[in-house]
Amino acid sequence: DLPRPSISAEPGTVIPLGSHVTFVCRGPVGVQTFRLERERNYLYSDTEDVSQTSPSESEARFRIDSVNAGNAGLFRCIYYKSRKWSEQSDYLELVVKGEDVTWALSQSQVDPRACPQ
């Protein structure tokens, strides 16, 4: 079986509105394609721009230049190697902060009465 990939975010998982974030997906050497997914298997981005970072590991980087409320939510990585897809990584939650409002997960899960007018 293929080892599960890992996912991290630079500079972190809480990003000010309009700032950049880079998701880093890591897997074993020999990965052909990394895929960054949103929750519910929604395809976000594929890349074949895979770099080998050590004798046993490769990675791909997915940059969002200017985050907005729509970028908040859960992300995970999978990769393609040896003619099959790996298991998914754990989810990573991206939180977007701006002007006294924090977006996490979907706006529909927030009680509108709790939001400042």
Side-chain angles (χ1 to χ4, degrees):
D1 278 355
L2 298 174
R4 288 179 72 194
S6 65
I7 183 172
S8 59
E10 296 172 0
T13 57
V14 180
I15 302 296
L17 195 63
S19 297
H20 74 271
V21 66
T22 301
F23 292 101
V24 182
C25 298
R26 291 186 178 89
V29 170
V31 169
Q32 293 157 275
T33 303
F34 275 101
R35 175 173 290 170
L36 182 66
E37 292 181 340
R38 295 290 300 264
E39 66 254 64
R40 294 180 291 280
N41 291 325
Y42 171 70
L43 171 62
Y44 192 79
S45 184
D46 272 0
T47 184
E48 293 181 10
D49 183 14
V50 176
S51 57
Q52 187 170 329
T53 54
S54 77
S56 60
E57 187 177 67
S58 61
E59 71 173 34
R61 304 173 80 83
F62 299 88
R63 182 181 166 101
I64 301 173
D65 285 326
S66 180
V67 299
N68 58 47
N71 297 127
L74 298 171
F75 290 82
R76 65 185 179 185
C77 291
I78 63 173
Y79 64 84
Y80 189 76
K81 178 183 174 179
S82 307
R83 298 193 298 279
K84 62 182 178 179
W85 287 97
S86 69
E87 289 183 65
Q88 291 102 343
S89 68
D90 291 334
Y91 274 118
L92 181 77
E93 184 177 1
L94 182 68
V95 176
V96 178
K97 292 183 78 76
E99 291 155 26
D100 302 325
V101 179
T102 298
W103 290 279
L105 299 176
S106 72
Q107 293 292 83
S108 63
Q109 292 173 306
V110 175
D111 181 349
R113 291 167 299 184
C115 293
Q117 296 302 314

